[in-house]
Structures are given as structure tokens and as C-alpha cells.
Amino acid sequence: GESVGLHLPTLSVQEGDNSIINCAYSNSASDYFIWYKQESGKGPQFIIDIRSNMDKRQGQRVTVLLNKTVKHLSLQIAATQPGDSAVYFCAARHNFNKFYFGSGTKLNVKP
Amino acid sequence: DGGITQSPKYLFRKEGQNVTLSCEQNLNHDAMYWYRQDPGQGLRLIYYSQIVNDFQKGDIAEGYSVSREKKESFPLTVTSAQKNPTAFYLCASSTDWSTDTQYFGPGTRLTVL
């Protein structure tokens, strides 16, 4: 099987700083990873994804890093804004079909 | 305006009642999923459907039932057999079962009174 966990339940950052949210997975056969953003009372929104044949992928203000050696991925948010306040969780796909989800890190952005 | 819709947003149930949560998508996706979200836990898969008229149990299917009579619809019934149904329920869909991103609906919060 697979288990996915995040390192910190809560992260507080100052507006304008960079944020780094971490996620660890257990199964080296996981081949595809997604980061989601979930605002309070809403459904998760896709942010960025990365496949196991890549180490890094960049989007608009976000970067995902994948370290397959230690089974770790991170989400970096540049110039964090108040609108970035939400719960962020990762998902790891195992055996090309089933996703396992982390419990999430709540990002608090202080003005 | 494409996407996934869930209704109702809030649902209250008395003990012993069955309730049905609606999920509709107009993305032309073959695969649909139901997850349960509890505080401090990752999403847990209840049921999934790879194609119309087919569905499979997920990790926590006991006390739940589904149907997939139409491609765009995947309703979830929470039966009285589900002992702890209070949770946030999320429906998702993807192009097909074996590929890529799952997109989520806005969720339904079910509370048992």
C-alpha cells in the first residue's frame, strides 16, 4: 500500500515571504503526485502535479520538488499572499490507479 | 461552464434515515469517485466508478451505496448502517481510472442530529 503524510499541521508565514510545505510518501512505486489547495468549507483545487521521471516542476508562483531517494516532495509558494491561506495536501498515485492523500498543512499568512 | 457540482451544500440527517448526496459532472469524464474527509485525516475513498453501470468499493464502503446509471451522475447514499456518518463528502472525477488528475466538487457537509 501507500501512506502519505505532511510534516507540519500548521505553517505561519509573513505576507511576501516564501512558503515551503512538505510531504512524505512511503511507496517507492508511486509514480505521480499532485498538490491540492483547499479553502475552508470548499472542495480541493488542483495546484500543480509532477511525475516520477521529473525532479522539479514550476507553475505560476509555485514550484514542486520531488526527491525520490528519500520519498519526499515539497511545494514552494513564492511571495505568499493572504489569498494563499488554506489547507494544502499532497496526493500520491500508486500502481497507476489509486491515489493516497495526506492530511494537509494549514497555511496561515500574516499581513 | 464545465465542472463538478454537488448538492446540497449542507445536509442534516436524523439517526436511522438514509440520505442521498448528489454529484454531477459535465466534463465528459469516465471515472468518478466519492471520498470522505474527517478533521486531521487524509481523504478516504468510499466508492469509485470507472465507467457507466460499473462501480467498485473503496476502502470504507460499509454503510454506503452508489449507482452510476448515467455518465454525468454518481449519487451516494449514506444508509442507516453507517455508524458515524457526520463528515465532509467530496465527489471527484477524472478522464479515466488509470490516468492523472482528479478534479473535485465543492463538497457536502453531512451532520447527523
Side-chain angles (χ1 to χ4, degrees):
Chain A
E2 169 68 280
S3 67
V4 178
L6 282 106
H7 292 181
L8 287 174
T10 304
L11 175 66
S12 292
V13 299
Q14 205 70 37
E15 181 179 356
D17 288 351
N18 297 336
S19 303
I20 300 176
I21 301 170
N22 297 300
C23 183
Y25 61 98
S26 64
N27 197 313
S28 57
S30 294
D31 69 307
Y32 177 60
F33 306 88
I34 304 174
W35 278 101
Y36 288 96
K37 172 186 180 182
Q38 186 175 23
E39 297 176 1
S40 182
K42 297 184 179 180
Q45 295 174 268
F46 171 89
I47 302 174
I48 192 167
D49 59 359
I50 188 168
R51 300 188 185 280
S52 58
N53 61 351
M54 303 171 69
D55 297 321
K56 178 180 179 179
R57 190 157 189 234
Q58 288 184 290
Q60 187 177 17
R61 279 202 309 121
V62 294
T63 300
V64 54
L65 299 177
L66 176 63
N67 185 329
K68 294 180 288 294
T69 303
V70 296
K71 298 193 282 290
H72 178 273
L73 70 158
S74 66
L75 176 70
Q76 300 179 5
I77 304 174
T80 313
Q81 303 169 359
D84 295 327
S85 293
V87 172
Y88 292 82
F89 60 87
C90 63
R93 187 177 69 181
H94 179 56
N95 280 344
F96 297 98
N97 52 34
K98 186 173 180 180
F99 280 93
Y100 294 85
F101 296 85
S103 55
T105 290
K106 184 175 183 180
L107 177 65
N108 293 319
V109 181
K110 296 176 286 186
Chain B
D1 188 20
I4 304 172
T5 57
Q6 291 184 241
S7 62
K9 186 173 176 64
Y10 300 98
L11 186 57
F12 299 90
R13 190 195 93 172
K14 293 181 180 179
E15 287 193 17
Q17 285 183 335
N18 294 351
V19 290
T20 298
L21 284 59
S22 169
C23 177
E24 303 276 333
Q25 55 98 0
N26 60 4
L27 301 168
N28 200 34
H29 285 172
D30 281 325
M32 298 185 74
Y33 315 81
W34 274 106
Y35 292 93
R36 173 180 170 139
Q37 188 174 40
D38 294 284
Q41 297 187 37
L43 302 184
R44 291 184 290 168
L45 182 63
I46 304 172
Y47 266 98
Y48 65 94
S49 168
Q50 299 181 47
I51 201 165
V52 176
N53 294 320
D54 176 75
F55 51 84
Q56 305 293 332
K57 292 182 179 180
D59 299 319
I60 56 165
E62 185 176 352
Y64 301 97
S65 66
V66 294
S67 63
R68 187 86 187 277
E69 298 176 1
K70 297 187 294 183
K71 185 175 185 176
E72 59 270 22
S73 179
F74 191 40
L76 173 75
T77 296
V78 184
T79 75
S80 57
Q82 170 50 237
K83 297 308 177 187
N84 185 24
T86 295
F88 192 51
Y89 290 87
L90 288 162
C91 178
S93 70
S94 63
T95 306
D96 60 54
W97 167 245
S98 63
T99 60
D100 301 4
T101 312
Q102 293 184 16
Y103 295 93
F104 287 87
T108 292
R109 183 164 299 280
L110 173 63
T111 303
V112 174
L113 302 173

